[in-house]
Structure formats: structure tokens, C-alpha cells
């Protein structure tokens, strides 16, 4: 099977979905790049290069470079979604949700319910998240929890190229507003990805590793830190269930609960601030529904409760790190 | 005031727009910005600067033109392309260098970086990594000035791209409604990232929009420090007189990529070379000043040397400074007991 990067996998999904369904459009800032300029169009193909090649393939009618105007981009996508198109809107950095959040959570998320099931909003909002580039306090935040808490939104956070393609194709087919969260640290990671179209259903967790000492649930880039640590500790005989929910809404509670029932111990890892994050959310679900299975306190490794600092050493300290993850695993394993 | 008025310098014979001392000060500030940007570009290439860098090179006369008319207690809010505004407002270059390198002694303790450069002692309320984040903030700063009964003025810098953001429109309207001493200063460098203003600004006339909000506007050649100064004097006075907000659109070239490392495939052939040859505000300022006998080439060269020496010192200080202590991570999340 061909090996593709996370970036290539999402790009391929967009190409295939647009070829497959004429109602799919892409819009956002620099999704092509070069609009109105003397030089070449498709100059960027998105600031992360994810939408590269779509403009030459599908034209300006379906690949729309917008001014810098997030409220109108997301609102236009929502309005178009209600009226026959399947827009994939790019928000560039997840931090920019702040500019257009009304169009997401008061508009797109609520149409179907508020209008008694008579309106649908089949749109995807793509955004880049995550720290690690010293991009500062307004270009590094993972705000997955903010969209996960909104009823009506579906939230996808792929951790590998295979999932990214299958989840993107599912997101475009889905009839609800889907927030597609791409971790910027993962774009260059690669794995085997089939050439043909395939979908991965929402709400189905992926078990990266299986084991018996404890259950680890991780979201986005921190998953790869977890895997590195877990594989190292496997040499000492420590084995873990490592679960990637793949979508935080819907959440595959069953997979997590079943695992905790056998291991009795749970570690949650994400790169969000600790209060009201995904780790905190899953922790409450497990405490409520699998209390009798727990043989140790639930542990969370998250980012610190501060804005993301700029200085690289502070940023590293802010993020959940390998050492924090290893310490938490050891603590849980030793807990009797 | 239905349309923006185009201002030409020295249309009529009168007192010079800048006297000798004022010109030399403005020139030094412009040169400081250019040298600062050149220096950090070099250090970025060497891997000594983390994160994103958006350089102000080519736009110096715009920021310096207005900031030279402001006092330390007047306010400016800036953009992601904020080093120039910070220096123009009198910001501490050594502290800025340390900040951009993510070091101790940085002007924001290494917490902010290039996109959040600020100097509160100089009324520079911060660069902003959210396009359109600044204009509403300057409305607030101008509201403070008005409410507290001072004659302070607030300037919101923005680009052609930011002129299309809803927050910008809302701020302009609110400033008119409340009749605030705010200046919306748009530096039109032709680009928002790799999208041209002729595409993204529907009316192709940023200053022209001001009329619809009910405020006066000026368009000015932002490569000409004299022209910028002349227009800004009127705008600042208008605000200090309590007559409400003003919009300025300065056309400027952007010599560098949107960010350092930008391949710039959207540029025309030889575009940058031509811009640098024909629209370099420092070259234009030197020529004009020598012609007007405001300064000699030797005097200007000397300023260039002094600035180069300062940049050398700032860079050394930045490189030598230690990184922040990890224990500082949680400092200043809140300003009082938590
Ligand atoms: C809300 C928001 N949207 C998009 C961006 C990404 N972005 C950063 S700078 C920029 C272009 C800004 O153009 P302009 O206002 O003309 O300023 P210039 O870069 O030319 O100084 C864009 C789109 C952002 N930082 N914030
Ligand atoms: Mg611009």
C-alpha cells in the first residue's frame, strides 16, 4: 500500500470528494493563494499546503479565496450548507474560532434542532491546532474542548494519515457541521494510505496498542508522545491499552469503559488546558460510569493552565511531555 | 468629506513639514527599523529566532511618520507586523531583540515573541496575531482618553487585509458614534499574505469606506516621510481637538515575504527588485533631505553607522541572554491572587 503523509492524505480526500460530488466547495483565506496577484495562482494551496492543487483541478467557482473575514467565511459556509452545497471551510488556525464563534455555535450547530429537523448543515470546518512551533499565545491553542461541548457539532481529531483521509471523507458526507482539527505537528507524519476512497465512521475509537496494566486515552499530537513512551516501557513488561477516540464528539465511551473495566486504571493525555478539557471530560465519564472498576485515581497529563508561552523552553514545559507521561504511567502501574 | 482627499507634500510654499531636528529623528527611527528587521532576518536564518517573523521592511515611513507626532502617552495598537510600530513609538530595541529571541529580559519576559511585541512605557499596547484584533482595542484606549479628559490619541495600525475584517468595521463605526480620538491607520502594502488588495478589498478604496462611517479620511504616499507627516499632523490635530476619529490609508511596498521563508510565488517578475529600487522610503527621504538642505549625506551616513552599532549591541545582548527560567511559566496568568 502506498505511504502518504497526513498532509497528502487530507489533500487526496479533498480532491476525491470534489471529483465525486459537484456540491462540494472549498473556501477560506489562501486556500489557493495569489488571487489578484501578478504571480501564480495556487501560490500557497492553504498556508499548510492542504488544499494545494484544488484550484487548478476544480476552478475558482469551487475553490474560493476569501478576504480575511472569518465570520463571513463560516457564516457563508453555513448558509450554503443549508441551501444545497457541501462546503469545506478553512479557518487556518484554530485560535481564529474566536473571531467567528457565533456562526459556529449559535448558527451552524443549532439549525437542525432549532428548526425542528427541517434544516441541515452539511459543512466541514478545517483548522490547524497545537503548540510546538513557538507560534505564540494566539496561534498555538488546542481548543477542541470548546467545540466538543457544543451540541450539534461533530468533532474530529485524526492522529495519523490513514485516519485523516477516512475521517475527512466521512466528514464531507456527514449531514452535520463537522469541526476537523488537524494538529500542525502531524502534517509530515506518514503511514500506509489506500488510493481509493474509504470512510471511517465517527464515534469508533482506534486501539493503537493493547495491554493490561492500564488504559491510556490520548488526543491529537500527544498520542505520539504516549506511543513512544509506551513502546519504551513495554521492554520492562508494562503493557497498556492505548486508545485514540478519533472523534471527541461523538465519543466512543464504550471502548474506553470496557478497557477500564479490564485494566482498572486510566491515564488521559491531551494538549488542552486542564480545566474543562477533553481529559477532564473523559475522566468524569469514567468516574461516573466505571467507578467500581477503578483501582487507582484517574490521572491526567495536560498542558498548563496558562496561555501558550512563546519562548521555546517555556512552550515545551507548558506542553504535556514524555517525562510527565512516563511518570504518570509508572505511578499508576505501581499504585496498589 | 465624501471621498478621501489625496495629499501632496509642498503643494504650496510654507514652513517645512519637518525641520532639521525632526527630520533627523524620523530618519534615525526609520533606519533603526530597517536595520532591526535586516538583523533579525539574518539571525532567523541562523536559527537563533523561533516562531514566525513578519518584517516591516519598506513600510517604515508610514509608522514613523505618524508616531513622530505622538507623545509617549498616546496609544498605538499594532499587528502581526509590529516591530516597526514598536520602534517608531520609541520601544526599547534591546528588550525587543531579547523578546524575539525568547530570552530573559525580553520586553514581554519571552512570553510574547515577535507577534506580541509591546512597550507599555511608550504607549505601545501590543502587536496582535489576530488580524482585526487591534481596532476595537484602540476604541477602548480612545474612550479612556476621552472619559479621563486627556488629550491623548489612539492609533490602530492595520493592513489592507485587516481592513476587510468585521471587527475593523465595527470599531470604526463605534469610534464615530462615541466621537473618539482614534486614528485608523491602514498600511496598504498590496497584500494580505498572498492575496492582493485589488481582489480582497471589494471597493479597492480603503480610505473611501470611511465616508460611509461618517469620518474624514486621507490617502497618502507612505514612502514619503514628508507627505505622511503632513497628513498625520491634520489627523492628530483633528483628534486632539475632540472632533472624532480619522482614517488614513498609506500606500507602502512590502519588501519581504508575508513571513520570513515565504516562497512568494504570487509575486510578479522582478516585482521586489523594482519596489526596492523605486519605493525605498529611506532612499527617498535621503534624496529629499539633501535636496532641501535639511541634512548632508555625511550626517545621514553617520546616523546609519550609529544605528548599525546599536543593532550589533542589541543582537549580542539578545544572543547572550539566558532563556527564561521554567519557574516563570505560571507567572502572570492572573494579576492578583489566584
Ligand atoms: C483572524 C485572523 N485571520 C487570519 C490570520 C492569518 N493572517 C495573518 S497576517 C494575514 C494577512 C494580513 O494582511 P494585512 O492586514 O494586509 O497585513 P500585512 O500582512 O500586509 O501587514 C493573515 C491572513 C490571522 N492571523 N488572524
Ligand atoms: Mg497588507
Amino acid at each position: 500500500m502506498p505511504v502518504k503523509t497526513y498532509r497528502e492524505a487530507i489533500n487526496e480526500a479533498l480532491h476525491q470528494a470534489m471529483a465525486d460530488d459537484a456540491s462540494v466547495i472549498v473556501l477560506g483565506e489562501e486556500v489557493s493563494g495569489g488571487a489578484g496577484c501578478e504571480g501564480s495562482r495556487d501560490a500557497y494551496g492553504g498556508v499548510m499546503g492542504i488544499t494545494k492543487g484544488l484550484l487548478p483541478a476544480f476552478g475558482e467557482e469551487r475553490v474560493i479565496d476569501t478576504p480575511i473575514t472569518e465570520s463571513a467565511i463560516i457564516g457563508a459556509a453555513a448558509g450554503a450548507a443549508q441551501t444545497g452545497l457541501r462546503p469545506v471551510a478553512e479557518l487556518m488556525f484554530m485560535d481564529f474560532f474566536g473571531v467567528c464563534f457565533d456562526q459556529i455555535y449559535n448558527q451552524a450547530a443549532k439549525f437542525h434542532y432549532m428548526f425542528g429537523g427541517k434544516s441541515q448543515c452539511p459543512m466541514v470546518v478545517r483548522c490547524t491546532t497545537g503548540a510546538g512551533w513557538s507560534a505564540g499565545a494566539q496561534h498555538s491553542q488546542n481548543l477542541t474542548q470548546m467545540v466538543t461541548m457544543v451540541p450539534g457539532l461533530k468533532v474530529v481529531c485524526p492522529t495519523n494519515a490513514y485516519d485523516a483521509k477516512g475521517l475527512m471523507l466521512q466528514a464531507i458526507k456527514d449531514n452535520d457541521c463537522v469541526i476537523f482539527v488537524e494538529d500542525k505537528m502531524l502534517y509530515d507524519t506518514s503511514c500506509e494510505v489506500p488510493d481509493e476512497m474509504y470512510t471511517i465512521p465517527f464515534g469508533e475509537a482506534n486501539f493503537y496498542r493493547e495491554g493490561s496494566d492500564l488504559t491510556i486515552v490520548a488526543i491529537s499530537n500527544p498520542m505520539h508522545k504516549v506511543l513512544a513512551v509506551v513502546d519504551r516501557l513495554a521492554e520492562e513488561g508494562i503493557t497498556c491499552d492505548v486508545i485514540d477516540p478519533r472523534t471527541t464528539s461523538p465519543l466512543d465511551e464504550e471502548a474506553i469503559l470496557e478497557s477500564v473495566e479490564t485494566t482498572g486504571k486510566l491515564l488521559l493525555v491531551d494538549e488542552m488546558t486542564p480545566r474543562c478539557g477533553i481529559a477532564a471530560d473523559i475522566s468524569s465519564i469514567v468516574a461516573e460510569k466505571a467507578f467500581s472498576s477503578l483501582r487507582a485515581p484517574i490521572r491526567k497529563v495536560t498542558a498548563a493552565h496558562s496561555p501558550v508561552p512563546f519562548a521555546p523552553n517555556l512552550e515545551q514545559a507548558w506542553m504535556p511531555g514524555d517525562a510527565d507521561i512516563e511518570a504518570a504511567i509508572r505511578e499508576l502501574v505501581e499504585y496498589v | 468629506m465624501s471621498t478621501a482627499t489625496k495629499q501632496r507634500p509642498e503643494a504650496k510654499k510654507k514652513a517645512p513639514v519637518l525641520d532639521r531636528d525632526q527630520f533627523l529623528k524620523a530618519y534615525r527611527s526609520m533606519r533603526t527599523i530597517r536595520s532591526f528587521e535586516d538583523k533579525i532576518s539574518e539571525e532567523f536564518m541562523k536559527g537563533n529566532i523561533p516562531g514566525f517573523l513578519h518584517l516591516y521592511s519598506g513600510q517604515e515611513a508610514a509608522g514613523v511618520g505618524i508616531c513622530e507626532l505622538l507623545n509617549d502617552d498616546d496609544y498605538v495598537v499594532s499587528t502581526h507586523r509590529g516591530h516597526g510600530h514598536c520602534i517608531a513609538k520609541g520601544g526599547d530595541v534591546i528588550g525587543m531583540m531579547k523578546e524575539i529571541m525568547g530570552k530573559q529580559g525580553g520586553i514581554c519576559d519571552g512570553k510574547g515573541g515577535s507577534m506580541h511585541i509591546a512597550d507599555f512605557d511608550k504607549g505601545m499596547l501590543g502587536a496582535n496575531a489576530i488580524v482585526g484584533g487591534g481596532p476595537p482595542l484602540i476604541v477602548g484606549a480612545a474612550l479612556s482618553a476621552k472619559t479621563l479628559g486627556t488629550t491623548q490619541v489612539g492609533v490602530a495600525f492595520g493592513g489592507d487585509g485587516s481592513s476587510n475584517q468585521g471587527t475593523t468595521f465595527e470599531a470604526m463605526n463605534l469610534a464615530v458614534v462615541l466621537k473618539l480620538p482614534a486614528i485608523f491607520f491602514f498600511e496598504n502594502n498590496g497584500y494580505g499574505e498572498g492575496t492582493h488588495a485589488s481582489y480582497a478589498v471589494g471597493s479597492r478604496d480603503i480610505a473611501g469606506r470611511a465616508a460611509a462611517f461618517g469620518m474624514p479620511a486621507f490617502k497618502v504616499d507612505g514612502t514619503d516621510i514628508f507627505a505622511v507627516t503632513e497628513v498625520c499632523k491634520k489627523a492628530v490635530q483633528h483628534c486632539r481637538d475632540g472632533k472624532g476619529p480619522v482614517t488614513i490609508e498609506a500606500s507602502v511596498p512590502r519588501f519581504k515575504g508575508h513571513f520570513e521563508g515565504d516562497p512568494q510565488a504570487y509575486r510578479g517578475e522582478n516585482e521586489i527588485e523594482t519596489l526596492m529600487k523605486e519605493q525605498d522610503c529611506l532612499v527617498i527621504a535621503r534624496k529629499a533631505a539633501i535636496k532641501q538642505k535639511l541634512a548632508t549625506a555625511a550626517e545621514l551616513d553617520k546616523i546609519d553607522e550609529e544605528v548599525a552599532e546599536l543593532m550589533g549591541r542589541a543582537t549580542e545582548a539578545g544572543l547572550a541572554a539566558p532563556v527564561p527560567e521554567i519557574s516563570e511559566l505560571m507567572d502572570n496568568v492572573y494579576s492578583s491572587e489566584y
Side-chain angles (χ1 to χ4, degrees):
Chain A
M1 209 190 288
V3 171
K4 293 165 195 163
T5 63
Y6 188 92
R7 174 183 285 109
E8 288 161 351
I10 303 172
N11 181 264
E12 186 172 274
L14 292 171
H15 270 277
Q16 291 177 341
M18 290 191 80
D20 187 59
D21 179 350
S23 69
V24 178
I25 63 163
V26 164
L27 76 165
E29 296 156 20
E30 310 295 333
V31 290
S32 158
C37 299
E38 271 182 44
S40 61
R41 291 305 318 269
D42 211 33
Y44 285 125
V47 288
M48 301 295 167
I50 306 299
T51 46
K52 190 87 184 158
L54 294 176
L55 179 100
F58 301 103
E60 288 181 346
E61 306 275 295
R62 293 179 64 200
V63 182
I64 303 166
D65 275 321
T66 67
I68 306 166
T69 182
E70 284 79 11
S71 285
I73 295 167
I74 301 303
Q82 277 184 298
T83 52
L85 297 181
R86 288 187 173 271
V88 179
E90 174 168 326
L91 201 51
M92 230 185 254
F93 291 82
M94 191 169 205
D95 313 64
F96 306 165
F97 264 116
V99 184
C100 58
F101 207 31
D102 179 70
Q103 295 294 330
I104 301 272
Y105 89 101
N106 271 325
Q107 313 300 339
K110 293 185 171 53
F111 294 156
H112 193 61
Y113 184 83
M114 210 164 57
F115 299 132
K118 295 187 181 63
S119 174
Q120 288 184 337
C121 197
M123 64 184 273
V124 181
V125 180
R126 289 186 40 245
C127 58
T128 290
T129 188
W133 280 10
S134 283
Q138 297 172 341
H139 277 61
S140 307
Q141 302 165 86
N142 188 324
L143 302 170
T144 304
Q145 77 276 41
M146 275 179 47
V147 278
T148 301
M149 55 79 74
V150 180
L153 297 181
K154 293 177 177 168
V155 184
V156 183
C157 32
T159 56
N160 63 60
Y162 175 86
D163 286 359
K165 179 174 174 183
L167 291 167
M168 176 54 82
L169 286 169
Q170 177 60 37
I172 294 171
K173 274 173 73 171
D174 199 280
N175 283 333
D176 291 308
C177 177
V178 179
I179 311 298
F180 197 88
V181 185
E182 302 163 13
D183 196 307
K184 55 171 89 79
M185 303 306 285
L186 299 179
Y187 283 128
D188 294 318
T189 61
S190 52
C191 68
E192 289 188 340
V193 178
D195 287 334
E196 56 273 16
M197 291 174 83
Y198 61 95
T199 56
I200 296 173
F202 292 167
E204 268 189 27
N206 173 35
F207 279 68
Y208 266 104
R209 300 285 185 274
E210 289 184 28
S212 56
D213 291 317
L214 73 151
T215 301
I216 306 178
V217 181
I219 307 289
S220 296
N221 183 43
M223 173 55 82
H224 294 275
K225 300 182 182 176
V226 166
L227 292 173
V229 174
V230 164
D231 289 346
R232 200 158 9 96
L233 295 184
E235 288 160 26
E236 295 177 26
I238 298 173
T239 66
C240 310
D241 265 355
V242 180
I243 304 177
D244 175 6
R246 297 202 279 214
T247 59
T248 57
S249 178
L251 177 71
D252 189 350
E253 289 186 14
E254 210 177 282
I256 299 168
L257 293 171
E258 272 175 19
S259 171
V260 172
E261 275 158 24
T262 65
T263 64
K265 296 176 178 180
L266 176 64
L267 169 63
L268 299 152
V269 186
D270 70 27
E271 199 188 282
M272 281 156 249
T273 45
R275 297 293 311 281
C276 308
I278 299 299
D281 180 50
I282 296 175
S283 158
S284 89
I285 292 168
V286 171
E288 196 174 13
K289 300 187 178 171
F291 183 71
S292 57
S293 304
L294 286 170
R295 290 186 291 110
I298 297 170
R299 283 282 278 121
K300 296 185 294 172
V301 174
T302 67
H305 184 67
S306 78
V308 188
F310 165 74
N313 68 325
L314 293 183
E315 187 185 37
Q316 286 303 319
W318 177 89
M319 295 165 85
D322 290 14
D324 309 317
I325 294 166
E326 179 171 340
I329 293 175
R330 288 191 186 283
E331 190 189 310
L332 281 173
V333 168
E334 281 157 26
Y335 191 94
V336 280
Chain B
M1 235 129 12
S2 61
T3 53
T5 42
K6 204 153 187 141
Q7 292 288 319
R8 294 229 165 273
E10 306 172 284
K12 22 193 170 358
K13 275 269 172 243
K14 54 180 178 190
V17 177
L18 291 165
D19 67 22
R20 180 184 145 80
D21 287 350
Q22 289 165 334
F23 173 78
L24 290 176
K25 192 159 165 281
Y27 178 82
R28 182 183 294 272
S29 181
M30 286 162 60
R31 176 61 71 194
T32 306
I33 297 170
R34 179 71 56 85
S35 303
F36 187 86
E37 300 295 55
D38 286 347
K39 203 76 193 169
I40 60 176
S41 172
E42 254 171 57
E43 293 303 319
F44 181 79
M45 295 301 194
K46 290 187 206 155
N48 292 328
I49 295 180
F52 293 117
L53 276 188
H54 307 86
L55 302 185
Y56 192 68
S57 314
Q59 307 187 194
E60 294 86 349
V64 169
I66 182 132
C67 288
E68 283 297 314
L69 300 171
L70 302 178
N71 306 317
D72 282 357
D73 69 351
D74 288 318
Y75 300 115
V76 305
V77 296
S78 174
T79 69
H80 56 287
R81 203 175 298 288
H83 314 152
H85 303 140
C86 199
I87 293 173
K89 199 68 178 56
D92 161 23
V93 232
I94 295 179
M96 286 176 65
M97 186 66 83
K98 289 179 180 170
E99 183 62 32
I100 289 169
M101 291 182 171
K103 296 297 188 68
Q104 268 185 46
I107 208 159
C108 305
D109 290 344
K111 297 275 178 65
S114 163
M115 287 202 286
H116 303 291
I117 206 81
D119 193 336
F120 284 78
D121 293 338
K122 300 289 181 182
M124 172 14 177
L125 305 182
N128 204 315
I130 299 298
V131 172
L137 300 174
I138 211 64
V139 171
L143 179 63
S144 287
K146 188 179 175 194
T147 307
L148 299 173
T150 74
T151 56
Q152 289 160 291
V153 168
V155 178
F157 288 105
D160 44 287
S162 82
S163 81
N164 301 317
Q165 195 63 295
T167 47
T168 302
F169 297 146
E170 293 179 30
M172 290 169 80
N173 184 52
L174 185 57
V176 171
V177 169
L178 302 180
K179 216 175 179 195
L180 298 175
I183 296 174
F184 299 93
F185 194 106
F186 295 101
E187 295 175 56
N188 184 348
N189 61 10
Y191 295 96
E193 298 208 358
T195 298
H196 206 266
S198 63
Y199 170 83
V201 179
S203 66
R204 299 192 174 190
D205 184 4
I206 296 167
R209 287 168 170 167
F213 286 109
M215 79 174 99
F218 300 100
K219 272 193 186 194
V220 66
D221 173 358
T223 66
D224 180 345
I225 184 71
F226 297 96
V228 176
T229 305
E230 193 172 354
V231 155
C232 292
K233 274 185 184 170
K234 292 181 192 161
V236 172
Q237 198 54 50
H238 184 90
C239 285
R240 295 220 199 274
D241 290 346
K243 294 182 182 162
V246 182
T247 289
I248 297 171
E249 177 183 354
S251 51
V252 291
R254 195 189 79 198
F255 286 168
K256 297 297 195 86
H258 170 60
F259 55 90
E260 281 297 271
D262 180 359
Q264 304 190 71
Y266 50 83
R267 293 272 201 175
E269 219 180 311
N270 299 324
E271 179 184 325
I272 297 176
E273 292 75 3
T274 310
L275 288 176
M276 291 180 76
K277 214 166 97 201
E278 295 172 1
Q279 295 192 38
D280 186 335
C281 59
L282 279 152
V283 174
I284 294 170
R286 284 180 71 106
K287 272 198 194 135
I290 293 168
K291 192 166 156 222
Q292 291 177 47
K293 303 212 180 335
L294 280 175
T296 64
E299 283 171 322
L300 299 175
D301 290 345
K302 181 148 175 291
I303 291 178
D304 293 356
E305 277 161 34
E306 287 165 9
V307 168
E309 187 274 330
L310 171 64
M311 286 313 135
R313 262 193 298 131
T315 310
E316 269 168 40
L319 291 172
V323 298
E325 297 287 350
I326 298 298
S327 61
E328 295 170 37
L329 175 63
M330 299 306 290
D331 292 350
N332 295 320
V333 179
Y334 300 93
S335 55
S336 53
E337 203 66 38
Y338 181 75

